[in-house]
Amino acid sequence: MTTSTTSPAKKVSVAQPPVSPLERFRVPAAFLAGAVLLLGIAPLVLSDFRLNLLAKYLCYAIVAVGVSLAWGRGGLLVLGQGVFFGLGGYAMAMHLKLADAADTGQALPDFMQLYGTSDALPWWWKPFANPAFALAMTVVLPMAVAALLGFLVFRRRVKGAYFAILSQALAAALSIWLIGQQATTGGTNGLTDIQGFFGYSLNDPVNQRMVYLIIVVVLLLLMAAARQLFVSRYGELLVAVRDCEERVRFLGYNPANVKLIAYVVAAGMAGLAGALFVPAVGIISPALIGIVPSIGFVIGAAVGGRASLVGAVLGAIAVAWAQSTLSDAFPAAWTYAQGLLFIVAVGFLPGGLASLPTVVRNRRTTTARSGEAA
Amino acid sequence: MTVILNQSFTGISIGAVLLLIALGLTLTFGQMGVINMAHGEFIMAGAYTTYVLQKSISSAGVSLLVALPVAFLVAGAMGALLEWLLIRRLYTRPLDTLLVTWGVSLMLQQLARDVFGAPNVQTHAPDLLTGNISLGGGITLANNRLFILGLALLCVLGLTLILRLTPLGRRVRAVVQNRDLAEVSGIATERVDRTTFFIGSGLAGVAGVALTLVGPIGPTMGTNYIVDAFLVVVVGGIGQLKGSVITAFVLGVLQSVLEYSTTVSVAKVAVLVAIVAFLQWRPQGLYTLRTRSLA
């Protein structure tokens, strides 16, 4: 699990050199080790409380898989992943709230009765009572929003910092909008106190364990899918667009489409992560999806290694873990440490911790050239 | 009619605040492609400078006037230090500056929390700036808003004069238009960069002084404005001041008119949609430097 499986981007973009049998099985072996560790060992060793925390971190790791694809491979600085995380989360939470209300015989979710502004369910809540629709929406909704924004932006060749700022503004706009629509979205509090998950009570530790296992399986599947995407022709094209978009255009490809796919897939992954986050944590709120958490999604990937799938995932887990453990114990010191971490990881180790072995090796042989240019 | 006029004045004053913040960004983002997220904390530094000065100088009016140049120097020095320590190492990776400066911004916010405490603090506005000017027919203009508008226009004028008439301005424009050509022509681009960063960050400090007149001073005050200010630069186009000036006022008026006819939250979303639509028409922003470069 801890061994880096994907080599830095530079190497992937050239044809794969012949590999020894040991090399060939390294990736599946690491993947298998990770699966055994997360599926078999973690539920046995960790307490219910810790397992639940791990489930939460793994949701962030799922977002990081998408970030690694869009930013690490595609060079798209996606600063608004919180939007897609939130759309998926809210779609799931809306269904679960409606199911909770139906279980207790109420017509409306509890917070709507509390604010008491309307006595009928808003029309856009109604379809979410259907579990299949709600589940589909957790992925379709984020992908649709990403496709729309991505299509408009990439088509006109708005790129680099402009794209980053627009995606960030989207995160700000969505969280402000959610806060403003308190009567139908729960406002600042968000959708809280979720009891059931498709008929299973979330208060039961056994069901919490089930949610954890679902999250692990989704994470592993998405990592495998992303890895296939990385080594496919499309993956090569994406790296080429990142490194020299104009040259790809001159070769006859349309870089806008290449970037759009990466952005939309990353959005879908974030949406799924948000949907799984809701049963694991029991809440979704604007504070979890605004500008600050959106940057947090990127930072985890940056610390671990943006272009390396395993690096990004481990980075996201580590940062989330450090955040929740250290921020309680040393709030002030943790903020300084966090700032310093961003500066060091992004500024001086652009390939992240995953590139550390390569950097050290290069420093020994040639002059230091750390990682790849962003 | 009265409502519309009052609302447009509110919009113009929102625009003036945006403009003050975006001016510095136009310089740093426009010239160097550096996305400085710590710009918001330089605003905060300017605001806290006013607060500290007011504690030692009892007269609110005098302390405000003293605060303007002092905040410029404080924020400018912080910016120059940031440029020297971190940003100059990242010129080949402009996107990464965003994340690095975000880290800096986190640390500065915590520093403010440790030094001044987490709760917001307040300054006293000079008596002259607390009243209203009534233009008759129910139209009133708040003095503090007028002061900010005047300050913003003064900063634009000053910056335009510097860029147009001084040797420094000529060097800055040369670097913006073509960094390599400027360098081979004998311009010390690194020194120009540091000066530009000093001026750009200093303007954030001035904006911070202005913000003390309209709101509380707190560790997170900068983050509330930074995204909007970046949008101004994106829509205005980089490298030219007039784009930012027009955009700041248009966005300010748009925001306040939409806020009046709908709600604050809907207005935010509508403005963003309008910006994306605008970029369909002019993807490089309102005014761009025409160059032969592909990027």
Side-chain angles (χ1 to χ4, degrees):
Chain A
M1 188 69 200
T2 47
T3 52
S4 155
T5 50
T6 45
S7 47
K10 283 185 298 192
K11 278 187 182 166
V12 174
S13 56
V14 298
Q16 299 285 326
V19 287
S20 67
L22 202 71
E23 283 280 299
R24 194 180 311 156
F25 290 111
R26 213 183 56 173
V27 173
F31 187 78
L32 201 67
V36 168
L37 192 70
L38 285 173
L39 284 172
I41 298 175
L44 292 178
V45 187
L46 295 177
S47 67
D48 287 337
F49 174 70
R50 302 231 165 258
L51 198 67
N52 188 242
L53 279 181
L54 183 59
K56 182 173 143 185
Y57 307 155
L58 292 181
C59 289
Y60 293 142
I62 295 176
V63 182
V65 174
V67 171
S68 176
L69 175 74
W71 182 43
R73 295 296 165 128
L76 303 166
L77 183 45
V78 282
L79 285 183
Q81 290 307 86
V83 170
F84 310 123
F85 187 82
L87 286 173
Y90 269 90
M92 176 64 93
M94 280 161 75
H95 171 70
L96 297 183
K97 286 307 277 184
L98 287 174
D100 281 353
D103 283 347
T104 51
Q106 312 275 348
L108 290 176
D110 47 8
F111 74 91
M112 283 191 193
Q113 298 168 18
L114 194 66
Y115 302 132
T117 40
S118 62
D119 42 13
L121 202 59
W123 60 269
W124 52 274
W125 268 75
K126 281 179 184 152
F128 285 93
N130 182 335
F133 176 85
L135 271 183
M137 277 301 128
T138 60
V139 185
V140 171
L141 211 55
M143 288 175 99
V145 171
L148 186 68
L149 181 72
F151 174 75
L152 291 174
V153 166
F154 298 140
R155 188 179 68 107
R156 294 300 291 167
R157 301 184 194 175
V158 176
K159 53 190 161 190
Y162 279 33
F163 170 75
I165 290 165
L166 281 178
S167 69
Q168 187 172 41
L170 187 67
L174 181 72
S175 60
I176 290 171
W177 183 81
L178 285 169
I179 292 170
Q181 310 297 312
Q182 191 174 36
T184 50
T185 62
T188 320
N189 297 333
L191 300 177
T192 57
D193 197 26
I194 285 157
Q195 302 291 331
F197 181 61
F198 296 98
Y200 295 96
S201 165
L202 286 171
N203 295 324
D204 190 341
V206 175
N207 292 337
Q208 274 297 341
R209 198 162 294 189
M210 173 189 75
V211 170
Y212 166 79
L213 291 178
I214 294 174
I215 290 172
V216 172
V217 169
V218 169
L219 173 65
L220 290 173
L221 285 178
L222 288 181
M223 280 179 78
R227 156 115 194 133
Q228 281 314 110
L229 212 52
F230 278 15
V231 297
S232 69
R233 265 175 65 91
Y234 169 76
E236 312 255 304
L237 204 52
L238 188 62
V239 172
V241 167
R242 177 193 72 187
D243 292 343
C244 190
E245 183 171 338
E246 299 305 333
R247 197 173 294 175
V248 175
R249 197 192 312 283
F250 296 154
L251 287 171
Y253 293 99
N254 185 355
N257 292 343
V258 177
K259 291 200 274 188
L260 186 62
I261 292 173
Y263 187 46
V264 170
V265 170
M269 289 181 179
L272 208 50
L276 293 167
F277 180 86
V278 169
V281 183
I283 180 175
I284 186 85
S285 73
L288 292 164
I289 68 178
I291 292 179
V292 177
S294 291
I295 291 186
F297 290 137
V298 171
I299 288 298
V303 170
R306 62 184 81 158
S308 146
L309 200 51
V310 174
V313 165
L314 289 181
I317 296 173
V319 169
W321 170 80
Q323 170 102 42
S324 62
T325 2
L326 301 179
S327 66
D328 288 342
F330 322 96
W334 163 243
T335 313
Y336 288 122
Q338 200 183 16
L340 209 59
L341 188 69
F342 296 0
I343 294 168
V344 171
V346 180
F348 298 97
L349 202 60
L353 294 176
S355 72
L356 204 53
T358 326
V359 172
V360 173
R361 210 180 312 138
N362 286 352
R363 199 176 278 268
R364 278 203 200 124
T365 50
T366 58
T367 49
R369 269 214 56 207
S370 54
E372 79 289 344
Chain B
M1 191 60 199
T2 316
V3 172
I4 295 174
L5 283 177
N6 274 332
Q7 208 59 29
S8 337
F9 178 67
T10 314
I12 287 172
S13 72
I14 295 175
V17 171
L18 277 181
L19 178 58
L20 265 178
I21 299 168
L23 267 186
L25 286 180
T26 316
L27 275 185
T28 55
F29 185 45
Q31 179 184 334
M32 297 181 269
V34 166
I35 312 166
N36 181 16
M37 292 299 279
H39 197 76
E41 277 56 50
F42 296 156
I43 296 172
M44 177 192 80
Y48 274 117
T49 305
T50 321
Y51 172 70
V52 170
L53 282 175
Q54 200 164 69
K55 282 194 153 177
S56 43
I57 306 173
S58 52
S59 161
V62 175
S63 73
L64 189 71
L65 286 181
V66 175
L68 284 172
V70 175
F72 182 86
L73 290 177
V74 168
M78 286 168 74
L81 191 68
L82 177 69
E83 202 275 345
W84 181 67
L85 279 176
L86 288 173
I87 290 174
R88 69 191 171 111
R89 300 167 203 275
L90 296 169
Y91 277 146
T92 50
R93 301 185 280 137
L95 276 185
D96 285 5
T97 57
L98 194 155
L99 295 170
V100 168
T101 51
W102 173 257
V104 174
S105 130
L106 273 182
M107 294 171 83
L108 288 177
Q109 279 179 28
Q110 187 58 40
L111 190 68
R113 239 172 253 133
D114 288 347
V115 175
F116 299 101
N120 288 343
V121 294
Q122 205 100 37
T123 55
H124 305 289
D127 293 336
L128 194 62
L129 295 181
T130 49
N132 288 307
I133 293 176
S134 185
L135 294 183
I139 301 165
T140 53
L141 308 179
N143 284 351
N144 57 356
R145 298 269 174 188
L146 278 176
F147 175 78
I148 292 175
L149 183 60
L151 186 64
L153 294 179
L154 205 65
C155 286
V156 173
L157 186 70
L159 199 54
T160 312
L161 290 180
I162 289 175
L163 287 179
R164 288 279 152 213
L165 301 180
T166 65
L168 170 70
R170 204 160 51 237
R171 286 197 291 269
V172 169
R173 281 184 290 140
V175 175
V176 171
Q177 283 172 16
N178 194 324
R179 175 174 295 268
D180 295 338
L181 208 52
E183 182 132 23
V184 293
S185 309
I187 293 175
T189 53
E190 284 198 3
R191 201 185 307 159
V192 174
D193 283 343
R194 196 150 315 139
T195 318
T196 313
F197 220 84
F198 177 79
I199 298 174
S201 308
L203 285 171
V206 173
V209 177
L211 284 179
T212 60
L213 293 172
V214 291
I217 305 163
T220 57
M221 64 183 290
T223 36
N224 300 332
Y225 293 96
I226 193 78
V227 175
D228 285 342
F230 268 117
L231 285 178
V232 168
V233 181
V234 167
V235 175
I238 55 174
Q240 296 213 30
L241 291 184
K242 57 184 171 186
S244 293
V245 175
I246 296 171
T247 311
F249 287 121
V250 168
L251 284 187
V253 171
L254 194 65
Q255 174 83 27
S256 85
V257 167
L258 285 170
E259 260 176 40
Y260 181 73
S261 45
T262 58
T263 62
V264 180
S265 57
V266 173
K268 278 270 181 214
V269 178
V271 166
L272 183 63
V273 170
I275 287 171
V276 173
F278 174 81
L279 290 177
Q280 293 303 299
W281 174 50
R282 275 181 180 267
Q284 304 294 314
L286 203 53
Y287 289 100
T288 46
L289 290 170
R290 293 192 177 276
T291 63
R292 288 177 173 231
S293 90
L294 282 165

